[in-house]
Every structure is written in C-alpha cells, then in structure tokens.
Amino acid sequence: MRFALAILILAATPAAAQQPSTPPADAPSRSFTGSDLFGLSIAADPQISPDGRSIVYVRRTGDVMTDRLQSSLWLIDVASGRQTPFATQGSNPRWSPDGTRIAYSASDGDHAQLFVRWIASGASARVTSFPGDPQALAWSPDGTKLAYIATVAGEATKLGTSPAKPEGAKWAEPLTVIDRVNYRNDGPGYVKPGYDHLFVVAADGGGARQLTFGKFDDGGPLSWTPDGRGIVFAAIRSPDADRQVMNSDVIAVDVASGALRTLTSRDGPDAQPRVSPDGARIAWLGFDDKRRSYENTQLYVGDRDAAGPRSLTGNLDRAIEDAQWSADGRSLYASYDDHGQRHVGRIGMDGRMTPLIDNVAGGGLDRPYTGGEFTVSRGGTIAYTGGDANAPADVWVLAGGRRRRLTNLNAVLTESKALAQVRKIAVTAPDGRAIDAWLAVPPGRAPAQRLPLVLEIHGGPNSAYGPGFSSDVQLYAAAGYAVLWTNPRGSTSYGAEFANLIDKNYPSADYDDLIAAVDATIADGTADPDNLFVTGGSGGGVLTAWIVGKTNRFKAAATQKPVINWVSEALTMDNTLFTSRYWFAKLPWEDPMSYWQRSPLSLVGNVKTPTLVVVGSDDYRTPVSESEQYYAALQIAGVPTALVKVPGASHGGLAARPSQSAAKASAIIAWFDRYRTRR
C-alpha cells in the first residue's frame, strides 16, 4: 500500500516529480567499476538447429564466488526469442543431424566428458569415460556416432636411473627430461607426455575407439563424409613434425580400418577442412608460407580428395576466419575481418562474395579485439554472436535478409551504468595512409573539455581492434580518461600489403601511425596535450616500451606482457621456432644486431617516462623474464617504475579472472593518476 500511495502522490504533483533528486549515500554507483566485471555475460558458440528453429549457445558469466567466467548452455526459440536453460555447465554443443539431440562436453570430476541430451524428453546420458577432455565434437551423418579429439597420455622421457627409494622415505621429485622442440604452451603450461588423437564413440554410449596414433597432434574441426565412412581433419604428420611451425595438411581417415591418406602437401598450413553435403568436394583454409609475418588465410576448394585446389578468395585480400557449406553445396558462408569489424558473407564457386552481416562480435571482454562465431541452418538462417561498444556479444540471427537480436544478456547492468560512448575518428599517417581509430570519452564530459588521454595499443602485432565492448576502456573512462585505440600498419583486416608493412621491420613506422592518432585527438579538442598516457599488451606492450624510448611526450606508461629483448624472447617463448623464422631474416646468433636494433631494451637509455611493467606469472608467450629485464633496466637507469605480476596468469589469460582483470586495470589507473595533472 505504501508503494501505491507514493505513486499516487507523485502523479498528483507533477512539479515535485520534476525536481532532481540526490541519490542516497549507499546507492549503487552509476560509474562502471571493477566489481561490475562479475556481472558481465558474453554469448559464444551459437549452434543453430538443422531446421533453423532453435539455437543452443554457451553463456559465459562472471562468478564472484569462484572468480571465474562460468560456462552454461542455453536454448533459444528463434521465432519467439524465448530462452530456457539447457545445462548449468558445459561447452562445445553440437546438434545431431536430425535435430533430436545435442552433444556437449561438461566436467565430470577432474576431466570433461561427452554427454548427449534428447530434446524431446530432456534426458541426458554420459557417453564417454575417458580422461582426455573431448574436443571438436562431430556427429556422423546417420546420427549413430560421435567423433572427437582427446589427449592420449604417454610415457615421460627418462635418462639414467635413480637409486632405489626406501619404503616410506620422503625424496625429492624425480628429474624432468625435456626433449620436445615445443615443450611448453602458454595457458596449459609445460607439455605433458602424450598426443592428441581422433576417437569415435557410439552416440548412445559405450566403448570409444581410437582412430589415429603416433607422435603427432591431430586437430579439429572434424568433418564426416556423407556416407559415414571417412573423417577429414588437419595435422602436421611429417617425419619432422616437431620442427614444423604451420605446415599442417588435410588428412582423411577411414573409420573402419583407421587407414590415413594425406590430401594436401604444399609448404604452408591447410586446416579446418569441411566436406561438401554431396561428398564431391572439400573446402579448407590455408596459404602458401612465404616466411612473412602475415599472409591472408584463403578459402580453397578441391575435389573429394582435395585435388585440383583453387582459391575462392584470392581477390578478396582479407583473411578468412571460418567457412561452412550451404545446404545445396553451391556456395560457402565465410567470416572475415574488414576495417576492424568481423563480417559474414556468402561465397559462390566462382569466388563472388555477397556480404550478409557486418556486426559480428565476441571472444573477449577486456579489450576490443575483432571476433565472433556463426553457424548456418539447412534453410540458410544464420546464428551469430554480435554486438557493439555498449555491451559484450549477444546472440543474433539473420533470416530472410533481416537480422534480429535474440538476447540482451547485460541489459540490467548496462542500463544502470553511465557508459563511455565510442566514436570513430579520422587519422592520417605521415605517409598519407588512412588509419582507423576509435575514441571513448567519459560519461558527462563537459562541452569542449580537454581530457587526459590513454592510448591503448593492440597486440599481435598482426591483429585488429574494432568498435566493440571493452571493460578496460570502460574502466579507464570511468576514471576520467579519454581512451584512444587504433589499427596502425601491421594490423589485419586491411589487406596483406598493409599488414606486411612491418614485415621484418617491427616496431617501425607503426610508431608514427600511433603518434598521428594521438595528434588527431588533440587537434579535435578532446585530448589534453599535457596529459598523455600510453599502455598496451603483448605487441602493444612492445610498442609502449618503444614509444617511451622514442619520445617523452607521455606523462606515464604501462607496458603489459611486452617483448623487451628479441633474442631472449625468441629463445624462451612457447612456440620455439616461430620468432626467428617469421619475424627475422636470420637466426639470433647469425645477426644479433638486427634483433637488438628492434628491441625496446636498446632504447632504455632514452627513457624518462615513469613506466609500470605488468605481466602474468605463468606467461610463456612473452615470458616473465622479458618484463623482469625491463623492470631491472629501468631501475638501473633511475626511471620511476614498478613491476606488477598477476599470479597464475598466462599470456592469453592475463584478464581471465574477473578480480585480476579489475585489479590490473586499477593498478594502471593508479599509476597514471600518480602523474596526471589535475585541472
């Protein structure tokens, strides 16, 4: 009654209702805060049913009790948009060919297992009991079997023997012997003995059968032939497989006998094979490896044995991210990035592209990288993850030429927050090239007010930012900073020539593009030229450290997970052969000066800018020693600095746990605030 009476009083006194009210002291903040990271959800892996009527997708949501993004599965009725929970935890959902069942993986103790749910009854059954964490699920055409990839444990290498251990004695751990070329991976850590192989199991459970063997890692996606007799996949299975970096081939395995046939043989990666609906052709992604830092991944089509391959996208000058056959086999749907935005188009057998979708988004929360996924029904309805700068990715659908948003996972949170608005700005590099850039300003900025500016630089360097949601951007803006992010030369989504402007020459003129973008924000009246700050991760960390070695314009910097010394990075990173093969013309001991001249460590003597160094303690891509070298050098040089380590975080997982993502951003803001001039 009191609530109703209050409404009546306000309705009877409109003048009173128009008076501004002061929120109570304990009211929730309208600003975006680190705690809000726990309230965010992001949609991923939308799988549309064969008939196009339903979508199952993965919803990743922050869990404040476990400090992780937890994955659950949800079903959407496409016509009504109604959602229903499918599984409280799980991933990799895949529809059976007849649409009556969904296979998915979910944790069952220490390992993930494969489950199948019958849609009509809602009953589920576990169909594997194998300690290999199944991935790349694929139904057989008749719906009786499931293929998947899982790790088969192996024996550790031994050298010599230890003395006999007395019963009950407490001895040190035994020696670890490493003899693999790539002996550790960012994220998983040191490689355990064993290899990834292909398995088949009955869809209603039973014993699984291993189809591939050997000291090779086999990978998905897996694609069955229409007759159910074969499966195609990709792997590096050459005699010197450990010494190959990207030279994978398309391989076919006979399901009955396990016999293997290698279908491609060029120098370069051939991956993500898809058999056409009639089995007459295979499509896959790849390129000729020219040992450059970047090549456009092209879409190829060959006959049923991948013979007579031809590229359908040689004239597109964009990299294909994923491709799926249309039901009639006359075209393929493909995703690709263009000017910092992921698209989906339809590509005919003549290579003609029909653009369909331009707002694909997804993949992460902390920074605005391009990304997103899609699937296609038999009738051509496309389910995809999409969005913009105002919220993480949701599930969208394109049907009959009309796109429609089916979820709004963050509406309650975002409607209660004053978020920074994002706009594109025009930037011209010193050589006249147009550079894409985006600018976010704090909510409530006064007209013509100049703001302290954070330049946020993407990693890669062959990757791209776009106008997507970013929790780091929102946190910086909530702290009163304008935030600028750009795609300097070397970025993807602008063609191979633009990306390779820094081939064997990184960092170089990408520095000039970044400075030009900063100058553009000053010229348009947004940035305070006396309050400039810079940060970035990985390749962006490299450029941050390079920038402060080239100019003293920035009041403070925060280099995140950088490469500081290219020689030490090349010899300690997880992909052992990569740096010296693709980013330099010679090996470190053959031409050490070329490595040194492009190392930010060589410029430390010029640095005057207070510089924070941030790295994950389990980073194996740009190992912790890189950041520690820079921190030590700055200390020796007398430059104000601090080293922030994120416990347990890998290179790719620096912001994986919400509390650490929030704390990292807060540390960077605090560092910038220390040197910011208040006006």
Side-chain angles (χ1 to χ4, degrees):
M1 287 296 295
R2 290 181 179 178
F3 180 71
L5 181 60
I7 292 177
L8 289 173
I9 292 173
L10 288 173
T13 56
Q18 295 171 9
Q19 295 297 316
S21 59
T22 301
D26 59 350
S29 172
R30 285 277 294 162
S31 297
F32 190 82
T33 70
S35 296
D36 291 326
L37 270 63
F38 290 103
L40 294 175
S41 294
I42 186 169
D45 199 10
Q47 296 290 317
I48 195 164
S49 61
D51 63 10
R53 295 180 179 179
S54 301
I55 297 168
V56 60
Y57 76 98
V58 178
R59 182 188 296 185
R60 298 170 59 222
T61 302
D63 183 340
V64 72
M65 300 307 294
T66 62
D67 190 21
R68 294 188 183 276
L69 290 178
Q70 300 291 357
S71 294
S72 57
L73 301 180
W74 289 73
L75 273 174
I76 305 175
D77 177 76
V78 172
S80 66
R82 185 181 69 254
Q83 291 196 69
T84 54
F86 179 80
T88 56
Q89 55 105 5
S91 59
N92 303 309
R94 296 296 183 267
W95 289 91
S96 64
D98 61 4
T100 63
R101 292 159 292 168
I102 295 176
Y104 62 100
S105 58
S107 176
D108 187 25
D110 294 333
H111 296 278
Q113 299 294 342
L114 185 56
F115 293 79
V116 171
R117 176 168 297 183
W118 281 255
I119 300 299
S121 66
S124 294
R126 192 181 79 176
V127 298
T128 62
S129 55
F130 184 85
D133 295 333
Q135 303 292 326
L137 314 182
W139 287 85
S140 64
D142 62 4
T144 63
K145 303 180 187 69
L146 282 157
Y148 61 93
I149 298 289
T151 301
V152 179
E155 292 291 328
T157 300
K158 295 181 180 179
L159 284 174
T161 58
S162 297
K165 179 181 176 181
E167 184 177 353
K170 296 181 179 179
W171 283 18
E173 291 294 319
L175 303 182
T176 298
V177 179
I178 295 172
D179 60 0
R180 295 178 67 157
V181 176
N182 294 310
Y183 60 93
R184 60 184 184 179
N185 294 316
D186 186 65
Y190 281 80
V191 175
K192 296 179 181 178
Y195 293 88
D196 292 345
H197 289 304
L198 197 159
F199 290 77
V200 170
V201 67
D204 54 2
R209 185 163 66 91
Q210 185 175 341
L211 290 184
T212 61
F213 300 85
K215 294 183 177 182
F216 312 102
D217 285 316
D218 301 316
L222 307 175
S223 182
W224 291 76
T225 57
D227 59 12
R229 296 179 179 179
I231 300 171
V232 295
F233 62 98
I236 302 176
R237 280 184 156 259
S238 60
D240 61 345
D242 275 357
R243 307 204 68 80
Q244 299 295 323
V245 179
M246 295 190 290
N247 196 19
S248 59
D249 290 308
V250 175
I251 299 170
V253 60
D254 182 84
V255 175
S257 67
L260 298 176
R261 290 183 299 122
T262 300
L263 306 183
T264 59
S265 60
R266 65 154 160 210
D267 183 5
D270 293 303
Q272 300 186 52
R274 309 271 189 180
V275 181
S276 64
D278 62 1
R281 288 167 292 185
I282 297 176
W284 69 94
L285 305 184
F287 56 81
D288 294 321
D289 191 349
K290 301 174 184 176
R291 302 298 191 267
R292 299 193 298 180
S293 65
Y294 176 80
E295 301 292 344
N296 278 331
T297 300
Q298 298 184 44
L299 172 60
Y300 289 84
V301 172
D303 67 16
R304 68 182 63 208
D305 293 322
R310 59 191 180 91
S311 172
L312 300 184
T313 60
N315 295 324
L316 180 63
D317 196 23
R318 296 291 185 270
I320 301 300
E321 302 292 335
D322 188 19
Q324 301 173 32
W325 284 98
S326 62
D328 60 12
R330 297 179 180 177
S331 60
L332 290 117
Y333 295 88
S335 59
Y336 59 97
D337 288 351
D338 183 50
H339 286 79
Q341 182 68 61
R342 184 149 297 179
H343 297 243
V344 172
R346 185 166 179 157
I347 303 174
M349 291 298 103
D350 59 357
R352 185 174 300 174
M353 164 74 77
T354 303
L356 299 173
I357 302 168
D358 63 2
N359 71 322
V360 183
L365 292 171
D366 60 322
R367 291 185 288 165
Y369 282 109
T370 59
E373 302 156 299
F374 76 99
T375 54
V376 188
S377 74
R378 290 187 183 130
T381 299
I382 302 175
Y384 66 99
T385 54
D388 54 31
N390 294 317
D394 279 292
V395 178
W396 290 63
V397 69
L398 178 75
R402 186 172 74 93
R403 67 186 187 190
R404 186 160 51 98
R405 183 179 186 173
L406 296 182
T407 67
N408 196 350
L409 302 180
N410 297 282
V412 172
L413 175 64
T414 56
E415 289 172 3
S416 68
K417 296 293 177 178
L419 297 177
Q421 296 303 302
V422 174
R423 62 182 173 89
K424 193 172 184 179
I425 65 170
V427 176
T428 303
D431 64 358
R433 291 179 184 270
I435 303 298
D436 277 350
W438 294 268
L439 182 65
V441 297
R445 172 201 178 194
Q449 178 189 6
R450 285 195 177 270
L451 300 166
L453 178 77
V454 173
L455 170 63
E456 161 62 50
I457 311 171
H458 73 61
N462 299 133
S463 63
Y465 274 165
F469 179 83
S470 164
S471 58
D472 277 5
V473 168
Q474 292 298 335
L475 290 171
Y476 296 154
Y481 293 85
V483 188
L484 169 70
W485 60 102
T486 76
N487 284 334
R489 67 194 63 208
S491 300
T492 56
S493 77
Y494 302 91
E497 187 265 345
F498 187 82
N500 277 310
L501 288 172
I502 61 169
D503 180 46
K504 310 297 186 296
N505 190 27
Y506 164 71
S508 58
D510 41 359
Y511 164 87
D512 300 309
D513 298 343
L514 294 166
I515 297 301
V518 171
D519 289 339
T521 62
I522 295 171
D524 84 349
T526 299
D528 179 350
D530 297 321
N531 258 330
L532 303 178
F533 303 86
V534 58
T535 187
S538 192
V542 175
L543 282 163
T544 297
W546 191 258
I547 283 171
V548 297
K550 292 283 188 178
T551 179
N552 296 323
R553 290 181 65 183
F554 293 86
K555 298 292 290 291
T559 178
Q560 303 177 54
K561 50 187 181 181
V563 175
I564 295 303
N565 181 338
W566 284 109
V567 171
S568 56
E569 188 272 350
L571 300 178
T572 58
M573 74 172 296
D574 57 341
N575 194 345
T576 304
L577 302 172
F578 181 83
T579 296
S580 58
R581 182 174 295 188
Y582 292 99
W583 285 0
F584 290 87
K586 295 183 179 181
L587 299 174
W589 48 90
E590 294 174 338
D591 186 12
M593 286 309 298
S594 69
Y595 287 73
W596 178 249
Q597 288 164 358
R598 288 162 51 197
S599 297
L601 190 58
S602 70
L603 302 177
V604 167
N606 301 333
V607 178
K608 300 294 185 291
T609 306
T611 301
L612 183 70
V613 185
V614 182
V615 68
S617 66
D618 291 348
D619 190 328
Y620 295 134
R621 182 62 45 80
T622 57
V624 178
S625 57
E626 293 297 306
S627 292
E628 291 176 337
Q629 284 182 72
Y630 198 51
Y631 170 71
L634 292 172
Q635 287 284 19
I636 292 169
V639 178
T641 186
L643 175 64
V644 173
K645 284 189 176 181
V646 182
S650 65
H651 187 84
L654 189 66
R657 306 194 73 169
S659 73
Q660 292 181 334
S661 182
K664 177 193 71 99
S666 180
I668 292 171
I669 292 168
W671 184 258
F672 290 169
D673 281 350
R674 182 180 296 183
Y675 300 98
R676 172 178 167 181
T677 300
R678 302 285 177 173
R679 299 188 188 282

